[in-house]
């Protein structure tokens, strides 16, 4: 068996898993928030707290296997589409560390001290803050652009 296909599979599988876990959490938190009930947000938040620490492992592992794949397939690692991927990957990782992780920590603290019932003003403020909403859209745009870049390989292989 050609090991290159194994590296490619591991790259794709880990990246899909990373996107599923991280963006799934974000999406489900937004859906739970839309119910207007603290208990719904808390349920998703508790699950996120248990699996969220796997997110960097999945993405870093996927990135490493991506580099191994590129090397073993003989890709030019400075090809424009790969440079685009590196930049988008870095943006996503920075957003995760600098924005999403602190958001999760703040939300977790709020949820632990908030009784069941309608979401409080503090929780609404956290979700509806213009910066949070804007970064949510940037985050989703980055993953869409990454998928486009990986499939289309703009500016050549």
């Amino acid at each position: 068996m050609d090991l290159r296909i194994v590296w490619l599979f591991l790259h794709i599988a880990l990246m899909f898993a990373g996107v599923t876990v991280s963006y799934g959490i974000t999406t489900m938190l937004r859906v739970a928030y839309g119910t207007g009930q603290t208990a719904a947000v808390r349920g998703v938040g508790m699950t996120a707290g248990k699996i969220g620490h796997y997110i960097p492992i999945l993405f870093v592992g996927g990135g490493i296997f991506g580099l191994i794949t590129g090397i073993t397939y003989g890709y030019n690692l400075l090809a424009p589409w790969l440079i685009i991927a590196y930049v988008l990957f870095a943006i996503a990782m920075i957003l995760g560390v600098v924005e999403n992780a602190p958001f999760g920590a703040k939300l977790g603290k709020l949820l632990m001290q908030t009784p069941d019932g309608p979401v409080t003003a503090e929780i609404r403020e956290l979700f509806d803050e213009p910066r949070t909403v804007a970064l949510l859209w940037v985050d989703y745009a980055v993953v869409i652009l990454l998928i486009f870049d990986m499939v289309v390989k703009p500016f050549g292989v």
Side-chain angles (χ1 to χ4, degrees):
M1 173 193 252
D2 185 355
L3 275 180
R4 294 181 307 172
I5 199 74
V6 173
W7 307 138
L8 178 61
F9 169 78
L10 290 171
H11 167 59
I12 293 170
L14 288 172
M15 288 305 199
F16 266 84
V19 168
T20 299
V21 173
S22 63
Y23 291 84
I25 288 170
T26 300
T27 301
M28 292 308 296
L29 275 172
R30 285 280 163 184
V31 169
Y33 173 66
T35 69
Q37 295 299 309
T38 300
V41 179
R42 184 180 297 112
V44 175
M46 288 174 63
T47 302
K50 293 196 180 299
I51 64 172
H53 61 278
Y54 293 111
I55 294 169
I57 296 166
L58 292 168
F59 281 124
V60 170
I64 290 168
F65 282 115
L67 286 173
I68 293 169
T69 299
I71 292 165
T72 59
Y73 273 91
Y75 288 133
N76 172 6
L77 297 182
L78 296 177
W81 68 278
L82 283 172
I83 299 294
I84 292 167
Y86 304 149
V87 170
L88 291 170
F89 182 81
I91 290 168
M93 293 296 282
I94 290 167
L95 284 174
V97 171
V98 174
E99 298 295 335
N100 296 336
F103 173 90
K106 286 181 205 170
L107 179 62
K109 286 179 185 173
L110 277 174
L111 290 172
M112 289 304 115
Q113 64 191 27
T114 304
D116 288 350
V119 294
T120 62
E122 293 86 4
I123 293 172
R124 280 195 311 276
E125 182 180 315
L126 186 61
F127 273 90
D128 296 338
E129 181 183 13
R131 175 184 173 89
T132 301
V133 174
L135 288 170
L136 173 73
W137 289 108
V138 169
D139 215 5
Y140 280 120
V142 166
V143 78
I144 290 166
L145 289 170
L146 264 166
I147 293 168
F148 177 84
D149 184 57
M150 290 285 113
V151 172
V152 175
K153 295 175 179 49
F155 313 111
V157 181

